[in-house]
Every structure is written in structure tokens, then in C-alpha cells.
Amino acid sequence: MPPYAEPQEQQGRRQVLHALGIVLFAYVLSVLPPGAQGWIGSALRVTVLAPFLWVQGSLSDARVQALTAAQLQAQVDSLTALMTANGGVVDENRRLRALLGLAARRSVEVVAASVIRTGTPGSAGTFMLDVGMEDGVRGNAPVIVAEGLVGVVREVADGTAIAMDWTHPDYRVGAMTQDGQQYGIIEPRRGEFGELDRMLWSGAPFFSVLEPGTPVVTSGSGGLYPRGIPIGTIEEQAEVEEGWRRSYWVRPAVAAASVTHVLVVLWGGGATGGPNPPDWWGADPEAAGDPGAPPLPAPRPGDTAQGRR
């Protein structure tokens, strides 16, 4: 007896019903509040998508570990030389602060993390980190590298976090010139290709003129980002609002797409509304000439992305 074959009409009807169900489900998700959407996304990442994310994380780790021993040794030698040269300066600065009655600089903890790019449609400007709440990471935590600012954490789960870099359309950061004379807002501008992405400085007063090559750093306004993190350098003037403001193109200090390892700030000022972050890079005009400020906070001993696995 021949096997039963479903009529072609019923197969087509079932496919249409499936497609309509998917469209309806997508519409319901699109009208949910952002909080509900984030909760559903987190639930999917720790259940259905967990195996795929694990594979992607493993591939990312393998790619990073493929760096040559010579490159790693050169980085270690440079860091050793820097620490040796700054050792006496830090101690001298500490004694001078004590003589002047100035409070010591607040220490900031960071945790090292690996960057995982999902590469899925609609994920441009976002990336995953292999650290989360169990590592002390909280929402709105700045993400940095030695060259400067990468982005900020948006969502946090137990062992993972979602962050956006400066290329995300919603990204904004308060900025100032390194001498603290001019302030503005930095926002992204996408190029035709990823390497052409750059930033736009808006809100500069009309009477101020920023020369090409002027360093731009975070201003610390709002308490989200520490003051003085490098953002980029002024390239050229973008536009002028007659008698009102100027805008400038800014060359980013960090190529976000090429970042593989980052530091996530565990200091909670941005997330909990605490005091303004410390000036790590020495951009505060009142702290000018203070050679004791370290260029970048060091990770906690033994806390590396590979060491936690």
C-alpha cells in the first residue's frame, strides 16, 4: 500500500499559516516595551542560543590565541619598561600630595574581557563580553582599551554582557578638548565602509576654532564616563550654524571593529549615581602637571579572560 501523501493544497496552507504566525510573533515583539524585549533576549541567549554563543566564543578565543609569541613578548617588554619608569614618579607624586594636603587619587577596578562579535543582521555597533554580574560588571559600565574609549555596557546577565561601541547609532558621549577649554557632544557617523566610520563633534561655540590634531577626551559630564579618556583627534570643520555653533569631524582613537580584548570598569559611579569618576588620563586642568596618574588602571591579579575559563 503506497504511503500517504499530504495534498499539495494542505502543505501550502500550512506554510502560509506558519509564515503568518512568525510575522505576528515578530510584530508582538516589536511593540513590547524595551524592558520586556531585553528580558526575552536575555532568556534566549541563556537557553536556545547558548550553544551557538559558546561556539562563537571558542572561535574568538582561538583567533586571539593565534597571535605570535613575538608580539606578546614586545607588549610585555613595553609594559615592564613603563612600570619601571613610573615607579619613582608615582611615589614622588604621593609624597607631594601629602605635603599639599591633597587627597589621594581614587583607585578603580577593572576586569578583562574578550569581545565576541555575533555578525548577525542588525547587530552592527554591538558586541558581547564574556563577563557579567558574577564578575562585578553592571549596566552603564564604560568599556576601554589602552588607546581610549570603546563603548559602554547596555545589558548584563550572570556570565555575559551586551555592550555597544561608538559606532552604534544611539551612542553619545560628552567630550572636551584635552586642555578643558571647549566642551561638546560626540556622536557617530557611519561611512560607506566600516573603516570610514568617524565621529562628529557638535555643540562647539561659534567663536571657538578647533585646530586639526587637537586631542578630544571624555568630559566626565553626567558621571557615566571617567573624565579624560581619549576619544580621538579633530580632523576638520564639518559645518557652521550661522552665528551659533560649529561642528567638527573627529578621527576615532580606537578602531572598534578590530578590538578583541577590553577592560570593563567595575567602579560603579555611572551605574549607581555615585561621585564623578576619577581623572585617569590626567586631562583635568586642575590636575595638569600631575605625573603620578597611571595611564590605565591595571586589571585585578589573575583576572584575565582566558584565566576564568
Side-chain angles (χ1 to χ4, degrees), residues 107-124:
S107 61
V108 177
E109 282 190 296
V110 296
V111 59
S114 293
V115 172
I116 304 172
R117 297 279 181 178
T118 59
T120 56
S123 64

Side-chain angles (χ1 to χ4, degrees), residues 238-298:
E239 58 185 17
V240 178
E241 298 180 21
E242 188 63 30
W244 186 243
R245 300 187 177 207
R246 299 177 186 265
S247 297
Y248 295 89
W249 292 116
V250 177
R251 179 184 296 275
V254 178
S258 63
V259 172
T260 57
H261 278 85
V262 296
L263 298 177
V264 183
V265 179
L266 300 186
W267 180 87
T272 62
N276 197 49
D279 173 22
W280 292 344
W281 274 262
D284 189 344
E286 296 179 0
D290 180 0
L296 193 66

